[in-house]
C-alpha cells in the first residue's frame, strides 16, 4: 500500500531532521539548515495528514476511548522516562510534552475532535473550523500539553480525513508528474521571498509551536498552512510505491518513540570528533538509527514500553 511507503519515507525524514545539526560554522551549517528546514516543511504535516486519513469516525465511543487510552499510556511511559533522564520534575516540565512526544498527545486530541465534530458538521465546515482554530490559537500565549501544535497542525489532520472521504489521494496519484514539481517550485519561490523580505525563521514557523509575537504572525501562519499543504501533497505524489519500503510502514510508531534517544546523541559524536557534521554522515547515521529502531522494536520489552496498554477489539 502506498501509504505505508510514504510513512516509511516520512519517518526516515523525521530521523534525519532530528539528526541534522546546525552548530558547526561555515558551509556545513548552511547546508544542514537548508535540508532540515525543507524536511520540516512537509514531514509532520504529511504524517499528520495520513493520520487523519486513517481516522475512523464510525467507531463506537468505547472503542475511541480505548484507542485513545492506548496512545496516552505510551505517551505517559515515555514522558516519565524522558523526564527522569533529563532530571526535570517541575509542574511546567510535566505539563510540557518532551521532544517528539507532542504528536502522541495531539493525535488523541485530533481523533476525539474529528469524531465528535463529524456528527454535527460537514467535512468542509470542519476544514474551515480547523483553519480558524489554527490561525486563532497563536493569540493564546500558552503551550502546555501541546496546545499550540495541537491547534496549529489541526488543519492537516482534518485535510487527511477529507482526503479519505473524497478519495483525494487516489486522484492526486493520477495527476501529471510535472504538477508536483511545478508546485514545489512555486512553494520554494514563496519561501525565498518570505525569507528575503520578512524577519522570520522558516524552521520556527514550520514547527508550529510558537504563539504570535505580533499581529502579522497570523498572516505568516496562514502562509505556512498553504505552503505546507502544497509541499506535502506534492511530496506524496512524487513518492513511488515500493514493497521494500512499505514493509516498514507498520513500525513507524515504535521508530518515532525510540529514534530521539539516538538522534540527540549525534551532537556528542560530533563534539568528540568521532563523526563529521556533513550531510552524508547525517544521512548515514539516520539510516543506522532507522534500522536499529526496527531491530529493537522486535524485543518484547520494547513492545511493552511502546504499547503498555492494549485492548482486544
Amino acid at each position: 500500500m502506498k501509504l505505508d511507503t510514504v510513512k516509511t519515507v516520512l519517518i526516515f525524514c523525521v530521523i534525519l531532521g532530528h539528526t541534522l545539526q546546525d552548530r558547526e560554522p561555515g558551509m556545513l551549517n548552511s547546508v544542514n539548515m537548508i535540508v532540515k528546514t525543507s524536511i520540516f516543511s512537509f514531514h509532520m504535516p504529511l504524517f499528520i495528514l495520513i493520520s487523519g486519513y486513517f481516522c475512523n469516525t464510525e467507531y463506537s465511543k468505547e472503542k475511541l476511548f480505548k484507542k485513545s487510552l492506548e496512545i496516552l499510556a505510551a505517551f505517559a511511559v515515555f514522558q516519565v522516562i524522558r523526564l527522569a533522564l533529563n532530571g526535570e520534575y517541575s509542574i511546567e516540565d510535566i505539563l510540557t510534552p518532551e521532544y517528539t512526544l507532542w504528536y502522541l498527545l495531539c493525535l488523541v486530541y485530533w481523533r476525539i475532535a474529528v469524531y465528535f465534530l463529524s456528527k454535527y458538521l460537514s467535512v468542509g465546515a470542519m476544514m474551515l473550523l480547523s483553519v480558524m482554530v489554527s490561525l486563532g490559537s497563536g493569540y493564546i500565549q500558552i503551550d502546555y500539553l501541546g496546545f499550540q501544535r495541537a491547534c496549529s497542525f489541526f488543519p492537516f489532520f482534518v485535510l487527511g480525513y477529507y482526503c479519505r472521504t473524497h478519495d483525494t489521494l487516489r486522484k492526486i496519484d493520477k495527476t501529471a508528474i510535472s504538477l508536483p514539481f511545478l508546485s514545489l517550485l512555486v512553494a520554494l519561490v514563496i519561501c525565498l521571498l518570505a525569507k528575503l523580505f520578512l524577519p522570520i525563521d522558516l524552521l520556527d514557523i514550520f514547527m508550529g509551536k510558537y504563539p504570535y509575537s505580533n499581529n502579522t504572525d497570523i498572516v505568516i501562519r496562514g502562509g505556512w498552512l498553504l505552503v505546507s499543504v502544497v509541499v506535502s501533497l506534492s511530496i506524496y505524489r512524487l513518492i513511488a510505491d515500493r514493497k521494500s519500503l512499505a514493509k516498514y510502514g507498520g513500525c513507524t510508531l515504535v521508530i518515532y518513540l525510540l529514534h530521539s534517544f539516538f538522534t540527540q546523541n549525534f551532537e556528542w559524536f560530533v563534539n568528540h570528533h568521532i563523526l563529521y557534521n556533513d550531510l552524508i554522515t547525517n544521512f548515514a547515521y539516520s539510516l543506522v538509527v532507522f534500522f536499529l529502531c526496527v531491530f529493537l522494536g522486535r524485543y518484547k520489552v520494547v513492545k511493552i514500553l511502546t504499547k503498555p496498554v492494549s485492548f482486544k477489539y
Side-chain angles (χ1 to χ4, degrees), residues 21-308:
Q21 302 295 314
D22 63 330
R23 299 182 182 180
E24 188 169 315
M27 182 56 70
L28 293 178
N29 176 46
S30 299
V31 172
N32 285 351
M33 282 307 295
I34 290 172
V35 175
K36 188 182 185 82
T37 302
S38 299
I39 288 173
F40 271 69
S41 71
F42 71 86
H43 76 326
M44 286 315 296
L46 185 50
F47 223 126
I48 293 166
L49 187 151
I50 293 174
S51 298
Y53 183 88
F54 286 112
C55 180
N56 191 341
T57 55
E58 301 302 318
Y59 288 154
S60 65
K61 292 180 181 178
E62 180 184 4
K63 190 170 183 179
L64 175 68
F65 172 78
K66 288 180 178 179
K67 284 188 170 292
S68 299
L69 190 59
E70 288 176 346
I71 297 172
L72 289 174
F75 165 80
V77 167
F78 279 84
Q79 179 77 348
V80 169
I81 291 173
R82 284 202 157 275
L83 288 172
L85 290 175
N86 296 336
E88 300 170 340
Y89 307 108
S90 69
I91 296 298
E92 183 176 357
D93 293 330
I94 293 172
L95 294 177
T96 303
E98 289 286 307
Y99 203 45
T100 60
L101 296 180
W102 63 269
Y103 170 71
L104 272 69
L105 204 53
C106 292
L107 187 58
V108 174
Y109 300 154
W110 297 325
R111 284 184 173 180
I112 293 175
V114 168
Y115 180 86
F116 286 103
L117 287 174
S118 66
K119 310 301 181 186
Y120 305 100
L121 299 176
S122 67
V123 182
M126 277 197 291
M127 192 73 248
L128 178 60
L129 177 62
S130 69
V131 172
M132 292 172 62
V133 168
S134 179
L135 296 178
S137 62
Y139 289 109
I140 303 175
Q141 302 295 310
I142 61 171
D143 191 30
Y144 295 121
L145 298 176
F147 173 79
Q148 285 296 331
R149 277 171 160 163
C151 294
S152 61
F153 281 103
F154 189 34
F156 299 106
F157 190 86
V158 178
L159 180 60
Y161 179 71
Y162 176 92
C163 289
R164 176 193 179 103
T165 57
H166 289 71
D167 201 21
T168 306
L169 295 183
R170 184 179 64 84
K171 296 174 183 176
I172 290 174
D173 270 328
K174 291 185 176 182
T175 59
I177 196 67
S178 58
L179 183 60
F181 284 110
L182 179 61
S183 299
L184 289 174
L185 180 60
V186 172
L188 176 61
V189 171
I190 292 173
C191 289
L192 288 176
L193 290 174
K195 187 67 177 176
L196 287 172
F197 296 104
L198 295 174
I200 59 174
D201 185 321
L202 289 174
L203 184 59
D204 284 349
I205 293 169
F206 292 151
M207 291 176 72
K209 70 175 184 176
Y210 298 107
Y212 300 154
S213 58
N214 56 65
N215 290 329
T216 61
D217 283 354
I218 188 173
V219 178
I220 294 173
R221 178 168 290 187
W224 161 60
L225 292 176
L226 180 60
V227 167
S228 284
V229 165
V230 171
V231 174
S232 297
L233 294 179
S234 298
I235 294 295
Y236 170 84
R237 174 64 181 89
L238 292 174
I239 296 175
D241 191 9
R242 292 287 185 271
K243 288 185 179 180
S244 58
L245 295 177
K247 65 181 180 180
Y248 299 110
C251 307
T252 52
L253 180 59
V254 173
I255 297 172
Y256 189 82
L257 288 170
L258 295 181
H259 80 277
S260 58
F261 293 103
F262 304 104
T263 56
Q264 286 183 305
N265 288 321
F266 182 80
E267 186 177 354
W268 183 90
F269 289 111
V270 172
N271 290 339
H272 287 77
H273 307 290
I274 299 172
L275 296 174
Y276 293 106
N277 191 26
D278 60 281
L279 187 58
I280 294 176
T281 304
N282 275 271
F283 188 91
Y285 184 84
S286 299
L287 203 59
V288 170
V289 170
F290 176 91
F291 285 109
L292 180 59
C293 290
V294 171
F295 174 76
L296 292 175
R298 298 173 181 174
Y299 285 89
K300 188 174 182 179
V301 62
V302 174
K303 291 179 179 179
I304 293 173
L305 288 173
T306 55
K307 198 170 186 179

